[in-house]
Amino acid sequence: MRRKVRRTHGDIFRRRSLAVGIILALVASICVGKLSYMQLFAAGSVAQAATASRTVTKTVKAQRGTIVDTNNVVLAQSVERYTIYADQVAAADFTPVDCNGKNESTCHAIDGKNVGATGPAAVAKLLAPVLGMNTMELGGKLVGTNRYVVLKKNVVPEVMRAIQKLHLSGVIGYELTSDRQYSDDGLLGTILGGVDAAGNGVAGIEKMANKSLIGKDGSTSYQRGAQGQQIPGTVTESVDPVNGGTVKLTIDWDVQWYVKKALKDAQDKTHAEWGIAVVQEVKTGKILAIADTDNYVAGTDEAKMNASKAVTAVFEPGSTGKLITAAGLLQEGIHKPTDQFQVPYQIQLDGQTYHDSHEHGVQNLTLAGILKESSNVGTVMASSDYSLEKRYDYITKFGIGQSTGLNFPGESNGQIVSSYKDWDKRTRNTVLFGQGYSASALQMTNVVATIANKGVRNGQSIIESSTDAQGNDTTPSVKKSQRVVSEDVASELMNMMESMAEQYKSVMNVEGYRLAGKSGTAQVADSSGALNSIIGDFIAAIPANDPQFVITVALKDPEGIYGGTTAGPVVGTIGEFLMQKYEVPASPERTDAIPTEW
């Protein structure tokens, strides 16, 4: 008979202890093995993973480029600014370090005293005076669980550096931004335009030259601590931002200022609804000034939403269009300036009646006299052998209905009503005296500039030079010059225009200088669409003996109506300023005037 073995409590305990010991030894062995593997074989990858988890890459914004005038006067620039933000979670855990005289580089104090608070309240007490914010309001923004809360934008560098001295890294951060600033004060608002919130050009030169002005952002990679702060000495990669290029305009700031002032003074004097003015250099096609009576400051919503009238507004040129007709008649050999005509007040042709601006008896005028008197009837009479095709050709040759080449946002090309083949019996003759097609002030300026430039039409330009962020030349190409009329014809036209301008010496005299120009008065549509409004304009080249500049001034609904007496004096005022500024030699006495009567 087998004897039954009795197990004591001591045996059970020993067996259990042995089992636990074996299990613990096994776990320890596994841990030692894993640790050995990690140290011997996986240490590099583990370290890399840990570093990667702490590494962040931060974009460093590039500054937008600069816009300057022809004399390098800064018109638009981006200045260094910062956006200050907070980590609400880090703010909740913030405990200030009391100053003990040995830890000035890390401690926190207010006017030499300890902060006396913790968390968001302590951060607000330290930061509010520097940001110029209310402590209670700032403290409210610091409460929550958001890791990124904007506290203030467009902070200047001096304030940002003061924040750095508060030792709030990890709680308060900053991002480099920029603020677009303009010095135009309304003088070039719609020409310069503006940028959007992302810093991209959306209007004016800012849009036109955006590719040149935008920069290339940089970046920096670093390791951050548990509170999100940058760990000193851990920058692993840094790419510097490249700021945008420089755009240099043909605009002369001094001329722009004077033209704007003269235009505003004329608006006040004549009670015109609006006015526009252009100054162009004859030999180069460069625009030295382009102004209207609006006062939109660059960068504002108004400047971004409203285009310059000098660029976008189109109107029938009226009598200034007679220059194009006279040019065609002379160039085609149909008439000479001295050809004689007997011009009545009105005539009928193909069932249509044409008349001059005021009643008069029969006038004995040469072709030069017809231009001087701005006779609609005389212009129609002189054009009896001037084909419809040629009428159309010369309007287009002088640039009407075509781009100026500026490629300015919102620019109008003007419009010829239709092909000459579709002209009705009236339009075929009204185009002779500037009705039946529309043009911008820029286009009509270049009509006179072409004549003043010995018959060669230059491409117009408003950007003198430009570079992009990489320094590449991005200057826009200028339309190729082309001859429109011969040098002899251009000289005859200048002579005829000078006789016309002499009529207004009492209101448009530039002492010591001769002008050659043409006035215009044209009906335009009012707000109802009816032809109840008037554009009075005057375009002149100065000095007539050696043209340097062309000046155009147009006023809408001025008191006085006629361009010679309303816009003419403004042309004279601007011309006087130009002659003095650029020290142009005085004109010799005129001795070769073409007869205007017979």
Side-chain angles (χ1 to χ4, degrees):
M1 184 175 174
R2 181 180 297 176
R3 187 171 22 178
K4 192 174 184 179
V5 180
R6 297 182 63 188
R7 295 181 179 176
T8 64
H9 289 295
D11 293 334
I12 295 172
F13 178 75
R14 282 193 296 273
R15 289 176 183 276
R16 290 179 176 176
S17 297
L18 179 61
V20 171
I22 292 171
I23 293 171
L24 290 174
L26 181 60
V27 171
S29 297
I30 293 172
C31 290
V32 171
K34 184 67 174 177
L35 180 61
S36 299
Y37 172 79
M38 292 177 64
Q39 291 179 333
L40 295 175
F41 303 103
S45 60
V46 171
Q48 288 177 359
T51 300
S53 68
R54 296 193 305 268
T55 301
V56 295
T57 299
K58 186 176 182 180
T59 299
V60 181
K61 298 292 290 184
Q63 298 289 328
R64 188 170 175 83
T66 303
I67 302 174
V68 300
D69 86 334
T70 189
N71 298 311
N72 293 312
V73 174
V74 175
L75 305 178
Q77 63 180 337
S78 291
V79 294
E80 181 182 346
R81 292 292 183 265
Y82 293 87
T83 294
I84 307 301
Y85 63 88
D87 182 337
Q88 292 177 332
V89 175
D93 296 334
F94 177 73
T95 300
V97 177
D98 292 341
C99 296
N100 56 22
K102 299 179 181 179
N103 60 348
E104 288 83 359
S105 62
T106 58
C107 71
H108 306 92
I110 299 174
D111 296 331
K113 298 179 181 180
N114 292 331
V115 178
T118 61
V123 177
K125 289 179 68 175
L126 289 163
L127 186 60
V130 179
L131 283 181
M133 296 178 66
N134 178 272
T135 303
M136 295 292 291
E137 180 184 351
L138 180 58
K141 288 187 174 184
L142 294 168
V143 176
T145 58
N146 199 324
R147 305 305 298 256
Y148 182 92
V149 176
V150 174
L151 302 179
K152 196 168 187 177
K153 295 182 178 181
N154 290 327
V155 171
V156 298
E158 293 81 2
V159 171
M160 184 276 295
R161 288 192 286 270
I163 293 173
Q164 289 179 318
K165 294 178 182 179
L166 296 178
H167 315 309
L168 294 173
S169 177
V171 179
I172 303 299
Y174 58 88
E175 294 176 341
L176 176 64
T177 60
S178 63
D179 182 35
R180 195 67 169 164
Q181 295 187 349
Y182 302 89
S183 56
D184 76 297
D185 195 28
L187 292 182
L188 275 169
T190 51
I191 297 298
L192 293 174
V195 299
D196 61 16
N200 294 311
V202 294
I205 296 293
E206 293 279 25
K207 180 178 181 180
M208 180 178 171
N210 190 57
K211 289 183 178 180
S212 299
L213 292 168
I214 56 175
K216 184 177 182 180
D217 293 342
S219 63
T220 181
S221 299
Y222 59 88
Q223 294 181 41
R224 59 183 177 185
Q227 301 298 327
Q229 76 276 19
Q230 180 177 337
I231 300 174
T234 62
V235 174
T236 57
E237 184 179 3
S238 180
V239 178
D240 291 334
V242 181
N243 293 337
T246 298
V247 173
K248 185 175 186 179
L249 304 184
T250 60
I251 300 293
D252 186 313
W253 181 249
D254 292 338
V255 178
Q256 180 72 23
W257 178 86
Y258 194 87
V259 169
K260 180 86 171 188
K261 180 180 182 301
L263 197 59
K264 291 291 290 183
D265 289 347
Q267 182 186 30
D268 293 341
K269 182 177 180 179
T270 65
H271 302 103
E273 182 179 335
W274 50 256
I276 52 182
V278 178
V279 176
Q280 178 173 323
E281 199 171 61
V282 169
K283 294 180 176 63
T284 65
K286 293 179 179 179
I287 305 301
L288 300 186
I290 182 168
D292 57 47
T293 47
D294 293 331
N295 279 322
Y296 302 130
V297 176
T300 61
D301 290 341
E302 290 84 358
K304 289 182 276 190
M305 294 173 64
N306 295 278
S308 167
K309 289 184 177 67
V311 175
T312 61
V314 294
F315 46 87
E316 290 187 344
S319 292
T320 52
K322 291 169 184 169
L323 293 173
I324 297 175
T325 300
L329 293 174
L330 294 173
Q331 185 64 35
E332 294 301 315
I334 297 171
H335 286 298
K336 298 188 294 295
T338 54
D339 284 355
Q340 300 174 348
F341 302 86
Q342 288 188 312
V343 182
Y345 164 64
Q346 72 177 30
I347 59 172
Q348 283 196 333
L349 185 63
D350 295 329
Q352 302 293 316
T353 300
Y354 304 94
H355 59 78
D356 287 338
S357 60
H358 57 278
E359 290 192 27
H360 60 77
V362 175
Q363 296 177 309
N364 293 334
L365 301 175
T366 62
L367 183 63
I370 288 173
L371 190 68
K372 175 183 176 182
E373 298 298 325
S374 198
S375 171
N376 295 340
V377 172
T379 302
V380 173
M381 291 173 62
S383 303
S384 58
D385 295 327
Y386 190 34
S387 72
L388 302 188
E389 183 177 2
K390 289 298 181 182
R391 299 177 193 193
Y392 183 91
D393 284 348
Y394 277 91
I395 293 172
T396 56
K397 281 181 180 180
F398 274 97
I400 308 304
Q402 305 170 48
S403 169
T404 62
L406 295 182
N407 295 320
F408 196 90
E411 179 185 355
S412 175
N413 294 339
Q415 183 181 16
I416 304 174
V417 172
S418 58
S419 168
Y420 68 91
K421 296 178 182 178
D422 300 323
W423 285 347
D424 59 30
K425 291 182 178 180
R426 186 163 190 81
T427 301
R428 65 183 58 178
N429 288 314
T430 60
V431 296
L432 296 170
F433 46 84
Q435 295 179 15
Y437 63 90
S438 62
S440 69
L442 281 170
Q443 289 173 322
M444 292 309 298
T445 299
N446 215 21
V447 168
V448 173
T450 298
I451 297 169
N453 194 41
K454 300 180 180 180
V456 175
R457 178 161 69 95
N458 286 326
Q460 294 169 296
S461 61
I462 196 169
I463 294 180
E464 185 173 316
S465 64
S466 65
T467 56
D468 63 13
Q470 286 72 40
N472 300 315
D473 186 354
T474 56
T475 306
S477 59
V478 179
K479 267 194 167 184
K480 187 177 180 180
S481 298
Q482 63 181 76
R483 179 164 293 283
V484 178
V485 295
S486 69
E487 187 171 339
D488 288 343
V489 166
S491 178
E492 290 172 338
L493 284 167
M494 286 291 292
N495 192 311
M496 295 160 69
M497 289 162 60
E498 188 169 358
S499 295
M500 194 279 167
E502 282 182 346
Q503 296 180 102
Y504 296 98
K505 268 194 171 182
S506 61
V507 296
M508 192 184 60
N509 184 43
V510 181
E511 190 67 36
Y513 297 91
R514 291 155 41 193
L515 283 82
K518 183 72 184 76
S519 64
T521 306
Q523 288 182 307
V524 295
D526 60 14
S527 57
S528 69
L531 295 176
N532 294 325
S533 285
I534 293 292
I535 294 287
D537 61 341
F538 201 101
I539 312 174
I542 184 172
N545 58 290
D546 182 20
Q548 301 297 311
F549 309 101
V550 169
I551 307 163
T552 295
V553 174
L555 300 171
K556 184 172 186 287
D557 290 329
E559 292 179 359
I561 300 177
Y562 297 109
T565 55
T566 57
V570 193
V571 170
T573 299
I574 295 171
E576 185 174 24
F577 174 80
L578 293 172
M579 296 301 96
Q580 294 175 357
K581 174 178 171 60
Y582 293 104
E583 300 180 348
V584 178
S587 299
E589 186 177 352
R590 187 185 186 196
T591 59
D592 61 347
I594 297 172
T596 59
E597 298 177 345
W598 58 277

